[in-house]
């Protein structure tokens, strides 16, 4: 399936491919950069509790390809812990945009998260007050991706909660980093999160006809 994220002034579009495979913790899949333009970073999570995560194969398939804007896409595979949640935030200056991908068993199609909450991963009972990602940070941060340029299809839908696990923490950390600096023309670096369904709910073949380059 494809969810397009156009950057401000029409400078960036991302194609999100949904497919499946397992991956190793924290792997950065190398791809040669051509020209001086900053690439796009797509992240996926490694397998958790022995279960494959569809986000990892999505990141691998996108690695080294180009978005419709012509920008090169790099992929990084994150460990399912606090260390992995901070990887994209630490590298933000190197990228034109970041799209995090993760697994959500409850969804039946792509779920685009419009915000992240200031809750550290690993404890479903945590709150902004008891387990903040950033002390004294806002309880919620909205995506910096321009939602008006995101086109959803079929059962793809918006969500206001990225959960309380490491998907949400990674999203919050990257958004906090993005909102702490501005890129070209004073705009924030676009950061988005897309949750993917599990393979038993949505077979990979159902997405293949909708893949976009």
């Amino acid at each position: 399936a494809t969810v397009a994220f156009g950057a401000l002034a029409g400078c960036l579009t991302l194609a999100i491919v949904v497919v499946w495979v397992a991956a190793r913790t924290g792997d950065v899949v190398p791809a040669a950069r051509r020209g001086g333009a900053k690439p796009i970073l797509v992240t996926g999570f490694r397998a958790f509790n022995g279960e494959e995560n569809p986000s990892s194969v999505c990141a691998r398939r996108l690695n080294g390809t180009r978005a419709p804007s012509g920008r090169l896409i790099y992929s990084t595979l994150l460990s399912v812990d606090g260390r992995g949640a901070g990887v994209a935030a630490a590298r933000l200056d190197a990228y034109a945009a970041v799209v995090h991908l993760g697994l959500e068993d409850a969804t039946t199609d792509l779920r685009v998260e419009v915000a992240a909450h200031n809750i550290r991963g690993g404890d479903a009972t945590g709150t902004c007050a008891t387990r903040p990602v950033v002390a004294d940070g806002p309880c919620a941060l909205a995506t910096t991706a321009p939602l008006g340029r995101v086109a959803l299809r079929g059962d793809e839908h918006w969500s206001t909660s990225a959960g309380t696990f490491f998907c949400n923490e990674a999203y919050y950390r990257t958004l906090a980093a993005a909102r702490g600096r501005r890129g070209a023309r004073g705009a924030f670096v676009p950061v988005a999160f897309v949750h993917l369904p599990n393979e038993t709910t949505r077979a990979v073949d159902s997405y293949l006809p909708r893949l976009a380059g």
Side-chain angles (χ1 to χ4, degrees):
T2 299
V3 178
F5 296 87
L8 297 178
C11 66
L12 177 65
T13 301
L14 293 182
I16 303 304
V17 181
V18 182
V19 283
W20 325 94
V21 87
R24 293 169 51 199
T25 305
D27 284 348
V28 176
V29 185
R33 182 187 300 186
R34 299 175 184 174
K38 288 184 178 181
I40 297 160
L41 177 64
V42 173
T43 75
F45 285 97
R46 63 162 295 190
F48 182 70
N49 286 341
E51 294 185 10
E52 292 183 345
N53 195 314
S55 66
S56 61
V57 74
C58 177
R60 283 188 178 277
R61 290 290 183 91
L62 284 172
N63 183 65
T65 64
R66 290 188 179 274
S69 64
R71 288 185 186 268
L72 187 66
I73 296 174
Y74 282 8
S75 64
T76 299
L77 304 180
L78 307 178
S79 54
V80 188
D81 54 25
R83 179 177 62 84
V87 167
R91 302 174 183 172
L92 188 64
D93 288 339
Y95 298 100
V98 177
V99 175
H100 290 297
L101 303 175
L103 170 65
E104 173 50 68
D105 284 323
T107 191
T108 59
D109 209 324
L110 301 189
R111 194 174 85 179
V112 181
E113 304 296 346
V114 302
H117 291 84
N118 192 10
I119 303 172
R120 276 187 290 140
D123 183 356
T125 65
T127 67
C128 294
T130 62
R131 288 179 56 83
V133 176
V134 178
D136 300 321
C139 191
L141 290 174
T143 178
T144 51
L147 297 184
R149 311 240 348 237
V150 178
L152 302 185
R153 300 181 184 182
D155 292 330
E156 297 165 359
H157 57 285
W158 307 107
S159 167
T160 59
S161 175
T164 57
F165 204 51
F166 293 109
C167 289
N168 174 76
E169 181 175 339
Y171 196 16
Y172 190 93
R173 288 190 183 280
T174 310
L175 284 172
R179 290 185 174 279
R181 69 200 80 180
R182 289 182 182 271
R185 303 179 183 177
F188 292 127
V189 173
V191 177
F193 197 109
V194 181
H195 267 122
L196 316 176
N198 64 44
E199 188 173 6
T200 58
T201 300
R202 189 82 175 185
V204 62
D205 287 345
S206 68
Y207 289 100
L208 292 179
R210 295 199 287 151
L211 298 183

